[in-house]
Amino acid sequence: MSKVFDLFIIGGGINGAGIARDAAGRGLSVCLADKGEIGGATSSWSTKLIHGGLRYLENYEFKLVRESLKEREIVYKIARHISKPIPFIIPHTDKIRSAWLIKFGLLLYDNLGGKTRIPKSKTLDLNKKFPNILKEKYKTGFQYYDIQIDDKKLTKLNAKDAKRNNAKILEYNKVKKAEIINNEWVISLQNKKKIKSKVLINASGPWINETLHKSIKIKSKNKIRLVKGSHIITKKLYKEDVAFTFQNTDKRIIFVIPYKKKFSLIGTTEVEVKSPENTVISKQETQYLIRSVNNYLKKQISKKDIVDTYSGIRPLIEDFKEASKVTRDYVFDLNIVKKLPLLNIYGGKLTTYRKLSEKVLIDLKAFLPKTKKGPWTDKKKLF
Ligand SMILES: Cc1cc2nc3c(=O)[nH]c(=O)nc-3n(C[C@H](O)[C@H](O)[C@H](O)COP(=O)(O)OP(=O)(O)OC[C@H]3O[C@@H](n4cnc5c(N)ncnc54)[C@H](O)[C@@H]3O)c2cc1C
């Protein structure tokens, strides 16, 4: 008789890989399949920050910021070799946000997550500190810290550790169909193999509803909005090891972050799209990013300075707000299909993947065999 796995996970992005690692480490039998490379989609197209999300405070998302700041501390501890804290500078401009509002936001940001090894925020004299980088009219700045991480590596290390704990990890193997036969999930893969499982998790990121409709043949309860975010990469724009958080007149923010020693990473944008496929930056997005940077930096950039670009898709739960106001928190949608569980995972952030994985195992506890080991991923380093 062929093996019946405890868990089958569709999607090897950070969420799928994180769940696989946590579950396999507790002794559960896990199989994960991705239609491409592990970490090859949204989880390698992010801004590569493990952050609380200072900006979300404006939308009163205190719970999300608090959880993210706590996770920032843990992820930095377990993945120190692929992450580092960097200072972010917000040049002050009265036209967009008042100084007191930013200071109040940073006070919350410094304290919401509890004890931290990450330096606290402070006010800077920009003309003294960065006379060669910023235009002279930006006199005051606010400095805070966040963590930069190799997002793809973080995902791959999670999958690698899951494998070490006997999880079966399949790459370049699309899930074509998932159905219930004889009280078991039967998952048909692209390579024609069939895998059996007691529990099915749909962690297919921006493809979540496509997987649900086309492969599992279930109607989704949650409507999603696909919002593209693009980045441009230029040769290093300045030598200092600091990042900038530029405020735009549309109230959005743009980051300029030192990237792989020789480059600067600039992003991101928010553009609604119809499909998660073929994500490339548009001319308008490129212009928007260049314009934002040129509002602040002395050295002006143009299209010629761009050495690379990438774009990713955020699957945001539709709540009919502006894209920048829609929550970045995750939402679980647990369905019982002919008595068997199917968990759909909507949204989320790189930063919160570990906590999300723990919560998945709490929510599915009733459907899984009892394990001796409880939560463990907050202590064990990734390698
Ligand atoms: C522009 C942008 C910037 C961001 N910046 C940050 C940031 O700085 N910090 C942060 O914390 N978060 C950030 N995020 C959010 C973060 O990147 C995502 O929340 C996270 O990567 C989502 O991971 P995932 O596993 O859900 O999706 P994905 O990484 O997309 O993984 C889903 C996987 O499912 C696979 N798949 C789909 N359909 C099938 C199928 N039928 N069969 C098999 N496999 C399938 C895909 O190949 C894919 O690998 C950003 C997001 C975007 C778009």
Side-chain angles (χ1 to χ4, degrees), residues 11 13-15 34-35 42-43 46-47 49 175 204 314 348 350-351:
I14 190 62
N15 288 335
D34 198 291
K35 64 182 174 138
T42 326
S43 301
S46 81
T47 310
L49 296 177
V175 170
S204 51
R314 310 172 181 93
L350 200 68
T351 308

Side-chain angles (χ1 to χ4, degrees), residues 8-18 32-51 56 68 147 149 151 155 170 172-177 189-190 202-208 210-211 215 227-231 255 257 268-269 277 310-315 328 345-353 356:
F8 186 95
I9 303 164
I10 310 176
I14 190 62
N15 288 335
L32 177 154
D34 198 291
K35 64 182 174 138
E37 183 192 354
I38 294 293
T42 326
S43 301
S44 56
W45 301 326
S46 81
T47 310
K48 304 172 198 303
L49 296 177
I50 295 295
H51 63 156
Y56 311 141
S68 303
I147 304 283
I149 198 156
D151 49 1
T155 310
L170 306 166
Y172 301 98
N173 221 328
K174 187 173 177 171
V175 170
K176 292 285 209 182
K177 195 163 153 192
L189 301 172
Q190 191 175 343
N202 177 10
S204 51
W207 292 271
I208 183 145
E210 189 181 296
T211 303
S215 309
V227 179
K228 179 171 55 155
S230 298
H231 293 84
F255 296 115
I257 308 172
T268 170
T269 56
E277 306 295 340
Y310 65 87
S311 306
I313 306 282
R314 310 172 181 93
R328 267 39 174 182
I345 296 168
Y346 286 90
K349 297 171 65 190
L350 200 68
T351 308
T352 46
Y353 86 92
L356 176 149

Side-chain angles (χ1 to χ4, degrees), residues 289-351:
L289 293 174
I290 290 176
R291 216 180 315 122
S292 303
V293 171
N294 286 344
N295 278 339
Y296 285 89
L297 293 191
K298 266 189 177 158
K299 184 184 165 204
Q300 299 287 283
I301 64 165
S302 73
K303 248 177 79 183
K304 288 201 294 268
D305 295 298
I306 299 173
V307 294
D308 204 358
T309 68
Y310 65 87
S311 306
I313 306 282
R314 310 172 181 93
L316 304 181
I317 296 274
E318 179 63 275
D319 64 1
F320 306 99
K321 290 180 186 153
E322 272 170 59
S324 62
K325 295 215 165 75
V326 179
T327 187
R328 267 39 174 182
D329 211 350
Y330 47 83
V331 171
F332 290 168
D333 168 36
L334 179 61
N335 294 257
I336 306 299
V337 190
K338 296 186 193 160
K339 296 192 186 154
L340 292 189
L342 158 68
L343 182 69
N344 296 302
I345 296 168
Y346 286 90
K349 297 171 65 190
L350 200 68
T351 308

Side-chain angles (χ1 to χ4, degrees), residues 175-208:
V175 170
K176 292 285 209 182
K177 195 163 153 192
E179 59 193 327
I180 294 173
I181 303 173
N182 295 335
N183 211 24
E184 282 157 359
W185 280 107
V186 177
I187 298 105
S188 308
L189 301 172
Q190 191 175 343
N191 67 0
K192 307 266 190 291
K193 284 225 168 91
K194 287 189 195 288
I195 308 258
K196 292 179 184 172
S197 176
K198 294 177 204 144
V199 173
L200 181 63
I201 297 180
N202 177 10
S204 51
W207 292 271
I208 183 145

Side-chain angles (χ1 to χ4, degrees), residues 61-329:
E61 295 220 54
F62 302 114
K63 192 178 135 269
L64 173 64
V65 177
R66 186 161 181 271
E67 180 172 276
S68 303
L69 287 170
K70 282 183 185 293
E71 283 305 296
R72 184 180 71 172
E73 205 63 23
I74 295 171
V75 176
Y76 181 44
K77 184 176 75 186
I78 63 170
R80 194 167 282 198
H81 59 308
I82 54 163
S83 58
K84 72 165 190 183
I86 38 173
F88 283 74
I89 317 291
I90 313 173
H92 174 54
T93 156
D94 235 348
K95 291 191 195 99
I96 302 169
R97 286 173 187 89
S98 64
W100 75 261
L101 182 72
I102 295 181
K103 277 191 184 172
F104 181 61
L106 287 172
L107 183 72
L108 284 176
Y109 204 67
D110 284 340
N111 294 294
L112 263 180
K115 235 177 124 190
T116 173
R117 283 158 300 168
I118 290 164
K120 302 267 181 204
S121 65
K122 61 180 181 190
T123 304
L124 298 177
D125 178 338
L126 295 181
N127 294 155
K128 265 199 197 142
K129 193 96 183 155
F130 305 110
N132 302 322
I133 305 178
L134 294 166
K135 289 183 180 169
E136 228 174 279
K137 66 176 174 180
Y138 299 106
K139 295 188 176 6
T140 307
F142 306 99
Q143 176 181 286
Y144 66 98
Y145 276 77
D146 266 324
I147 304 283
Q148 185 178 38
I149 198 156
D150 184 332
D151 49 1
K152 192 172 189 177
K153 206 150 199 187
L154 180 70
T155 310
K156 283 190 180 292
L157 287 179
N158 272 278
K160 194 170 161 194
D161 205 27
K163 231 172 169 172
R164 227 179 257 130
N165 283 308
N166 303 318
K168 194 174 175 132
I169 307 285
L170 306 166
E171 291 182 283
Y172 301 98
N173 221 328
K174 187 173 177 171
V175 170
K176 292 285 209 182
K177 195 163 153 192
E179 59 193 327
I180 294 173
I181 303 173
N182 295 335
N183 211 24
E184 282 157 359
W185 280 107
V186 177
I187 298 105
S188 308
L189 301 172
Q190 191 175 343
N191 67 0
K192 307 266 190 291
K193 284 225 168 91
K194 287 189 195 288
I195 308 258
K196 292 179 184 172
S197 176
K198 294 177 204 144
V199 173
L200 181 63
I201 297 180
N202 177 10
S204 51
W207 292 271
I208 183 145
N209 278 352
E210 189 181 296
T211 303
L212 200 51
H213 299 160
K214 292 193 185 156
S215 309
I216 315 178
K217 304 244 183 298
I218 287 183
K219 261 197 162 172
S220 58
K221 284 180 240 148
N222 292 305
K223 207 167 173 260
I224 54 167
R225 225 191 298 173
L226 299 174
V227 179
K228 179 171 55 155
S230 298
H231 293 84
I232 55 175
I233 298 168
T234 62
K235 275 199 190 140
K236 217 173 169 58
L237 296 176
Y238 47 82
K239 63 177 190 325
E240 288 81 348
D241 207 15
V242 295
F244 287 95
T245 304
F246 292 150
Q247 308 177 71
N248 279 353
T249 45
D250 61 5
K251 290 217 131 189
R252 295 196 61 256
I253 51 167
I254 300 297
F255 296 115
V256 179
I257 308 172
Y259 184 57
K260 291 187 176 172
K261 291 201 173 103
K262 289 187 178 156
F263 304 99
S264 295
L265 177 67
I266 301 162
T268 170
T269 56
E270 275 172 351
V271 180
E272 245 176 281
V273 289
K274 294 229 155 41
S275 148
E277 306 295 340
N278 300 326
T279 45
V280 284
I281 193 167
S282 68
K283 210 169 144 191
Q284 287 87 341
E285 287 176 280
T286 307
Q287 279 164 354
Y288 175 83
L289 293 174
I290 290 176
R291 216 180 315 122
S292 303
V293 171
N294 286 344
N295 278 339
Y296 285 89
L297 293 191
K298 266 189 177 158
K299 184 184 165 204
Q300 299 287 283
I301 64 165
S302 73
K303 248 177 79 183
K304 288 201 294 268
D305 295 298
I306 299 173
V307 294
D308 204 358
T309 68
Y310 65 87
S311 306
I313 306 282
R314 310 172 181 93
L316 304 181
I317 296 274
E318 179 63 275
D319 64 1
F320 306 99
K321 290 180 186 153
E322 272 170 59
S324 62
K325 295 215 165 75
V326 179
T327 187
R328 267 39 174 182
D329 211 350

